[in-house]
Amino acid sequence: GENVEQHPSTLSVQEGDSAVIKCTYSDSASNYFPWYKQELGKGPQLIIDIRSNVGEKKDQRIAVTLNKTAKHFSLHITETQPEDSAVYFCAASPRSGNTGKLIFGQGTTLQVKP
Amino acid sequence: DGGITQSPKYLFRKEGQNVTLSCEQNLNHDAMYWYRQDPGQGLRLIYYSQIVNDFQKGDIAEGYSVSREKKESFPLTVTSAQKNPTAFYLCASSIVGRDIQYFGAGTRLSVL
């Protein structure tokens, strides 16, 4: 079935450094790839997304890259700040028609040390 | 304020008991979703609905039931058949035909 693998499961960086989280997906027909940030005890919030007709998208300190051939996409956070500490999830929309379903990765816990 | 409201924030279930988690949205979204979140496993889809009075099973529907009598509401019942119900439950909604999902704050369910 459809699957999204996310790595690493935990990531610790110093404030000001960059952080990179990587995901691979199995369904080559997937065409939408969002990234969500979840703070402790809260629901996930969309931070950036990309569609399959685009290779890269940026929003201030956050960027996402997509390699359709390799079925791989990544989240890049530059100049990390302590408030970036959270769990990050990638997701992909599977082949199964216009259901709006998303398949989520396992999550990455990012810790930014002051 | 538009958004998704989940209640209660914390819920405890006794052995053999059914419990119902509430999800209400005022975003005028047609599609609604229920996810279960366990540590290290990401979000897994339980049920989803794209229109009133219709819903489909997700990947882990066994032991759960839903209803969609109103566009704004999509309650989830965790039945006694769900033997391992302890988890964080998240409700989401979206516009049909649009991929972006918006999430509520979640309900944490524990077993007494």
Side-chain angles (χ1 to χ4, degrees):
Chain A
E2 300 104 355
N3 188 44
V4 175
E5 294 288 334
Q6 182 173 346
H7 299 280
S9 57
T10 59
L11 180 58
S12 182
V13 300
Q14 288 295 135
E15 183 177 359
D17 287 351
S18 295
V20 180
I21 303 171
K22 299 180 179 181
C23 290
T24 57
Y25 59 98
S26 60
D27 185 355
S28 57
S30 295
N31 59 9
Y32 174 68
F33 308 91
W35 285 90
Y36 285 86
K37 176 184 180 181
Q38 185 179 28
E39 297 178 346
L40 194 63
K42 297 183 179 180
Q45 287 203 315
L46 179 72
I47 55 172
I48 195 168
D49 56 10
I50 193 168
R51 299 196 180 272
S52 58
N53 58 346
V54 176
E56 184 176 3
K57 184 177 179 180
K58 288 184 179 179
D59 183 3
Q60 300 182 345
R61 296 186 296 109
I62 294 173
V64 57
T65 59
L66 172 65
N67 182 330
K68 287 173 56 181
T69 303
K71 293 189 285 186
H72 171 276
F73 59 112
S74 300
L75 177 71
H76 304 253
I77 305 174
T78 58
E79 302 172 18
T80 53
Q81 301 166 4
E83 51 265 39
D84 293 330
S85 297
V87 180
Y88 291 81
F89 291 97
C90 62
S93 61
R95 178 193 304 268
S96 51
N98 191 25
T99 64
K101 287 175 62 178
L102 293 174
I103 306 299
F104 284 83
Q106 297 86 344
T108 296
T109 301
L110 174 63
Q111 181 186 28
V112 180
K113 298 177 182 177
Chain B
D1 279 339
I4 301 172
T5 302
Q6 289 189 242
S7 61
K9 190 172 177 68
Y10 299 97
L11 186 58
F12 296 91
R13 193 190 90 167
K14 295 180 181 178
E15 191 84 27
Q17 185 183 41
N18 293 352
V19 292
T20 298
L21 285 62
S22 171
C23 178
E24 304 276 334
Q25 54 97 1
N26 60 5
L27 299 168
N28 200 32
H29 287 173
D30 289 299
M32 297 187 73
Y33 310 82
W34 274 106
Y35 292 91
R36 170 177 171 143
Q37 185 176 18
D38 295 282
Q41 293 194 43
L43 281 66
R44 293 182 291 167
L45 184 64
I46 304 172
Y47 270 97
Y48 65 101
S49 167
Q50 292 191 290
I51 195 169
V52 172
N53 292 323
D54 188 45
F55 47 83
Q56 284 75 42
K57 293 182 179 180
D59 300 317
I60 55 166
E62 186 174 349
Y64 301 97
S65 66
V66 294
S67 63
R68 187 85 187 276
E69 298 177 0
K70 298 187 299 181
K71 184 177 183 178
E72 302 78 19
S73 178
F74 191 39
L76 173 74
T77 296
V78 184
T79 74
S80 56
Q82 172 50 249
K83 298 306 179 187
N84 183 23
T86 298
F88 191 51
Y89 290 87
L90 288 160
C91 178
S93 72
S94 70
I95 298 172
V96 170
R98 299 284 301 276
D99 304 293
I100 300 173
Q101 292 186 18
Y102 300 89
F103 284 83
T107 293
R108 187 164 297 281
L109 175 62
S110 302
V111 176
L112 289 176

